[in-house]
Amino acid sequence: MTNKKKTAIVAILFLLVTIYSALFAACVNTEGREYTVTWKNHNGEILKTETVKEGDIPSYGGETPTKSGDGKYTYLFSGWQPAVSEVRADTTYTATFTSSENKYTVVWKNYDGAVLETDTDLPYGVKPVYDGATPKRDASVDVSYIFAGWTPEVTEVTADTVYTAKFTERHNGELIAGIDLVFSQDNKTAEYGLYPQTRVSDAALIAELNGLTTVSANGWYLFNGEYYAKETAKVYNNESYTFDDGTVIVNGNEYWFKCEPIKWQVLSCADGTYRLLSCKLLDAHNFYADYENRTIGGGVVYANNYEHSDVRKWLNGEFFNTAFALNNSYVQETVIDNGADGNKYACNDTKDKVYLPSYKDCLNGGFGFDEDQDNASVTRQCLTTDYARARGAWYNVKKDLQYNGSYWTRSPSGEYGYCAWNVNSGGYLSEYAVDGESHCVRPCVSLVFK
């Protein structure tokens, strides 16, 4: 064997001995090694610190960790993160929790404590809705009572809550604007219901309103006995439109509007039943969202079908529930004639509390309207409100027609399944595509007043 080979073998043996010695030393050094184990709650609070030998499995052994619940959730301890295992280094374990959604009960009571309705298992954050009959309070000799909402004001569910009906006192002979049905001396107009109309311009009042946080059941804010609505402007086509006082409406700005009595034109009266048409265009709304036909009940429903229209649903839902929230006792649910001779797009008759005028209504001389659809009739012209303009209503900017808008009838076009008749700003009738969101609503109601 050569010297070179001997030298190589010696070197290899020396390396192996060195490696073995290092491994043996490491094993000797790890005998009895200990590590720190820290147990923390979800928020970083240290619950326990202990020393554990390497290879042992630590055990917490303290009080079960807790996590405070909030209005929406209750929390239950579920274990540790990471999972507890043999100790090989300093380790921190953090408590974990499962959540369960809280459910609440809302009780609706009359003024005398009688339970009217109980809603159970309501999830956090939903706004409860009273579905029962309108609460009543018997009149005394000199005073009658009108249901005026709930106390406290209805808000999103955050705890078990009791709402109690509140009433407005009306002394004999007293009429309250917006709540009572009040006719003009000539009986040609009436005031009834409330709706946002005129922009609030007083800076001091706006500052007070901006501090309000509680919304009434109808979505408005009550301040000093008056209702106000807040709306973010979405100006039609981002035009340079103005409010009645000449102030330019800025798209995206928030504005306050006073909820004022709705003024109605009396169209007819028979045996104490009055048919009314609003004197102004109160809001902007499409007739139906798109041009597409639908299949309902096995039949084709065209886009201009009033029975299944978006605007009818809105009138008898959101509009009715806000405009007449303080007193809807005069409103008569009425069978509405939706027929049109020879028009294949005409829908079934409907039973409504609020409805649009028909094409025939707008040509009815007995209602005071011009009987020619093509005439620019002053009697059919109608002004938009400040609120309707902020909500996206189109209006005519010509001086002699300024602020006049266009408004829907409930009657379908006879030519196109995606058009309905509307009254233009000049007072003539034309057909327009149903998805026009800048068109306005001029509602009708039938009231019983004897």
Side-chain angles (χ1 to χ4, degrees):
M1 179 179 298
T2 64
N3 289 334
K4 286 184 178 182
K5 286 183 179 181
K6 288 180 180 179
T7 301
I9 291 172
V10 169
I12 291 171
L13 290 173
F14 178 77
L15 179 61
L16 291 174
V17 169
T18 301
I19 292 172
Y20 176 79
S21 298
L23 290 174
F24 179 78
C27 291
V28 170
N29 290 336
T30 58
E31 282 189 21
R33 178 173 289 183
E34 295 179 331
Y35 295 100
T36 299
V37 172
T38 304
W39 306 86
K40 290 185 177 182
N41 208 346
H42 68 97
N43 58 0
E45 175 192 2
I46 295 176
L47 303 172
K48 181 181 178 183
T49 300
E50 60 183 336
T51 302
V52 180
K53 290 183 178 180
E54 183 174 26
D56 288 353
I57 297 177
S59 177
Y60 171 60
E63 292 185 2
T64 302
T66 59
K67 180 178 179 179
S68 298
D70 51 30
K72 189 171 185 179
Y73 295 109
T74 295
Y75 298 94
L76 182 66
F77 174 68
S78 60
W80 300 97
Q81 177 64 36
V84 178
S85 61
E86 294 179 352
V87 172
R88 298 297 178 190
D90 291 340
T91 306
T92 298
Y93 294 105
T94 301
T96 59
F97 298 82
T98 56
S99 62
S100 59
E101 190 172 24
N102 297 329
K103 302 292 184 181
Y104 296 101
T105 298
V106 170
V107 179
W108 308 84
K109 292 185 176 182
N110 208 346
Y111 73 99
D112 58 359
V115 175
L116 303 171
E117 178 178 310
T118 301
D119 299 325
T120 59
D121 294 328
L122 297 177
Y124 178 92
V126 303
K127 195 168 186 177
V129 177
Y130 175 72
D131 301 314
T134 302
K136 296 183 182 300
R137 181 172 180 175
D138 292 337
S140 63
V141 175
D142 299 320
V143 179
S144 59
Y145 298 91
I146 298 172
F147 174 64
W150 303 94
T151 184
E153 295 289 345
V154 179
T155 60
E156 289 79 6
V157 171
T158 59
D160 292 337
T161 308
V162 175
Y163 291 109
T164 302
K166 61 182 179 180
F167 295 83
T168 299
E169 290 188 357
R170 180 175 58 188
H171 297 271
N172 289 347
E174 179 186 11
L175 296 177
I176 302 174
I179 296 178
D180 292 303
L181 176 59
V182 181
F183 288 94
S184 61
Q185 289 186 346
D186 59 9
N187 283 331
K188 290 184 178 180
T189 62
E191 289 188 346
Y192 178 53
L194 293 174
Y195 207 67
Q197 296 181 60
T198 304
R199 180 184 72 95
V200 177
S201 58
D202 182 85
L205 176 55
I206 291 172
E208 293 281 3
L209 296 175
N210 284 336
L212 300 179
T213 58
T214 302
V215 182
S216 298
N218 54 11
W220 301 337
Y221 295 80
L222 184 62
F223 180 73
N224 285 347
E226 303 279 2
Y227 283 97
Y228 297 88
K230 182 167 58 175
E231 186 70 26
T232 301
K234 50 177 183 180
V235 183
Y236 167 73
N237 203 31
N238 206 20
E239 299 280 355
S240 297
Y241 281 178
T242 61
F243 292 120
D244 283 346
D245 63 4
T247 301
V248 175
I249 310 171
V250 180
N251 218 14
N253 276 14
E254 273 191 348
Y255 296 97
W256 286 96
F257 299 87
K258 187 175 181 181
C259 301
E260 300 165 301
I262 302 171
K263 187 175 182 179
W264 305 86
Q265 176 183 341
V266 178
L267 298 180
S268 64
C269 174
D271 299 325
T273 298
Y274 291 80
R275 186 175 180 191
L276 309 181
L277 174 69
S278 67
C279 291
K280 287 190 176 182
L281 304 182
L282 299 176
D283 213 327
H285 205 286
N286 60 22
F287 189 96
Y288 182 63
D290 57 48
Y291 294 175
E292 297 298 320
N293 297 336
R294 294 151 285 169
T295 300
I296 298 177
V300 176
V301 173
Y302 296 98
N304 59 5
N305 181 295
Y306 181 67
E307 180 184 7
H308 296 287
S309 65
D310 292 337
V311 70
R312 175 174 176 254
K313 180 180 179 181
W314 177 80
L315 282 170
N316 288 276
E318 182 178 337
F319 177 81
F320 175 80
N321 290 330
T322 54
F324 306 110
L326 301 183
N327 181 18
N328 60 24
S329 61
Y330 297 109
V331 180
Q332 177 73 33
E333 193 169 48
T334 306
V335 175
I336 306 303
D337 180 5
N338 295 314
D341 296 338
N343 188 338
K344 71 175 183 178
Y345 301 117
C347 69
N348 298 321
D349 290 348
T350 52
K351 194 172 183 180
D352 297 331
K353 295 176 181 177
V354 189
Y355 51 96
L356 295 179
S358 69
Y359 170 87
K360 290 181 179 179
D361 290 338
C362 295
L363 300 178
N364 190 329
F367 294 165
F369 297 132
D370 193 296
E371 297 180 4
D372 188 332
Q373 72 173 46
D374 296 320
N375 284 347
S377 169
V378 174
T379 59
R380 283 193 292 259
Q381 294 173 13
C382 198
L383 292 168
T384 56
T385 62
D386 284 350
Y387 182 72
R389 284 170 235 157
R391 294 265 293 168
W394 171 90
Y395 71 76
N396 199 315
V397 296
K398 294 181 180 178
K399 187 174 181 180
D400 58 335
L401 297 174
Q402 189 175 26
Y403 297 140
N404 282 3
S406 54
Y407 57 95
W408 297 111
T409 77
R410 66 178 185 270
S411 302
S413 161
E415 187 173 0
Y416 306 105
Y418 56 85
C419 290
W421 285 98
N422 82 115
V423 178
N424 210 290
S425 61
Y428 60 87
L429 279 86
S430 61
E431 298 165 304
Y432 202 88
V434 295
D435 64 345
E437 294 182 344
S438 61
H439 272 50
C440 288
V441 178
R442 191 179 184 185
C444 290
V445 289
S446 295
L447 308 180
V448 175
F449 183 76
K450 296 181 180 180

